[in-house]
Amino acid sequence: MGEDMSRLVVLMYHALYEGEREFFAIDAADRTYAVSVSAFEAQLDILARRGLPVADPAVLPRKLDKEERIVLTFDDGHASTYRHVLPRLLRRDLRAAVFVTSDFIGHRPGFCGWREVREMAERGMLIGSHGRTHRFLDDLPEEAARAELRDSKATIEDHVGGVVEQVSFPGGRFRPCDVEAGILEGYRVFHTSRAGAHRAGRLPEGVVLCRIAVRQGTSAGEFEALASASPGWLLRARALGGAKAAVRRALGNGRYHALYERLAGGAG
């Protein structure tokens, strides 16, 4: 595999589904990131078989042991995170970060309510912010972007208890000023959708982490390569990410996302 045993890989998931009914209940634009329950269980088996231990994301940003190789993260707050992810992680004594879009919780069909989010926190999952409305921060005036970070943090803390110190940027979109604003609001760790891995060692306060997306079409072989931080796989992923970023810069977030939704909907 050519893996680097000192690499930390942060995996990015969204919704899980079991059967066609649950799959087609997911918004068409989100299905490309939906992973079947059976595939997720097989992926956890691969991590165990390859000796890639899963770290508790609550330890970030402190120095991670070299044995702590994988961090699991789940964006948005889909109901499937509570229904499918939580029991399967608990059976294996694993922990994950769940980043919720605060305005969606208890209001949007297919998403958790605050009771489910609180229970996930009580059962050991880290609850973080995924913004208040899921608007892309780099589309917003700086103060409006800061309000997304501040208001979502306050809402989650009010409903769940505890301090929210990690955020996943909606759409992975952010500017340096958004990181600076987040630090002022009390965030210590920032998650992006940039493909990459990190060397083991002490991570600084305010670290901006790369993540690797697990998609509906991620095969077992591809998952093994990405989880193992295969240099060849990472090189291809970065090249693809750079190409997508260039298209997004040319089109702008709005037109790029509209194009993505049309293509994803057609694929569904």
Side-chain angles (χ1 to χ4, degrees):
M1 274 293 173
E3 68 215 53
D4 179 350
M5 293 305 292
S6 67
R7 291 286 185 178
L8 170 71
V9 174
V10 184
L11 298 178
M12 176 176 64
Y13 289 90
H14 292 76
L16 262 62
Y17 67 91
E18 191 167 42
E20 284 191 358
R21 182 174 181 179
E22 287 190 6
F23 178 72
F24 286 106
I26 298 168
D27 288 347
D30 295 334
R31 290 174 195 157
T32 186
Y33 285 103
V35 174
S36 72
V37 167
S38 60
F40 179 64
E41 290 178 330
Q43 289 159 6
L44 295 180
D45 288 340
I46 288 171
L47 297 180
R49 186 175 70 251
R50 291 301 306 270
L52 301 174
V54 175
D56 185 341
V59 306
L60 299 173
R62 76 153 172 82
K63 183 177 180 179
L64 294 170
D65 297 331
K66 287 187 177 181
E67 290 75 22
E68 296 176 304
R69 294 290 315 284
I70 303 293
V71 171
L72 303 174
T73 70
F74 295 82
D75 282 2
D76 299 323
H78 290 279
S80 63
T81 311
Y82 174 81
R83 182 187 310 119
H84 295 311
V85 176
L86 180 65
R88 286 165 174 82
L89 294 185
L90 292 178
R91 282 201 292 269
R92 297 170 184 253
D93 195 27
L94 301 178
R95 301 294 179 265
V98 180
F99 297 110
V100 301
T101 303
S102 57
D103 274 9
F104 292 0
I105 303 303
H107 296 287
R108 185 168 174 174
F111 282 73
C112 290
W114 286 113
R115 180 186 65 79
E116 290 82 8
V117 176
R118 280 193 298 272
E119 183 177 340
M120 286 191 285
E122 291 166 357
R123 303 295 292 274
M125 304 302 130
L126 181 144
I127 306 300
S129 168
H130 196 46
R132 183 173 72 83
T133 64
H134 206 278
R135 289 183 294 174
F136 302 146
L137 299 192
D138 59 351
D139 276 343
L140 302 176
E142 289 186 21
E143 183 50 43
R146 182 167 179 175
E148 284 275 325
L149 297 171
R150 179 179 62 246
D151 295 349
S152 61
K153 185 178 191 293
T155 299
I156 297 166
E157 290 174 347
D158 286 346
H159 282 278
V160 177
V163 180
V164 172
E165 295 183 328
Q166 298 193 33
V167 61
S168 163
F169 291 116
R173 323 284 170 79
F174 71 99
R175 301 158 295 195
C177 65
D178 300 319
V179 176
E180 295 167 5
I183 291 171
L184 292 174
E185 293 297 337
Y187 291 101
R188 302 171 66 215
V189 181
F190 300 84
H191 296 257
T192 74
S193 58
R194 293 174 176 172
H198 297 267
R199 291 191 179 279
R202 181 169 296 279
L203 298 172
E205 295 284 332
V207 63
V208 179
L209 292 173
C210 298
R211 292 190 294 172
I212 297 177
V214 183
R215 296 178 169 83
Q216 203 272 332
T218 299
S219 67
E222 184 181 8
F223 180 83
E224 191 163 350
L226 64 87
S228 302
S230 163
W233 190 93
L234 287 174
L235 184 64
R236 291 191 296 273
R238 289 177 185 134
L240 178 60
K244 289 181 177 179
V247 174
R248 187 165 61 245
R249 285 193 298 269
L251 295 178
N253 275 340
R255 285 192 293 170
Y256 176 87
H257 197 64
L259 176 62
Y260 168 82
E261 287 187 329
R262 285 200 298 273
L263 292 174

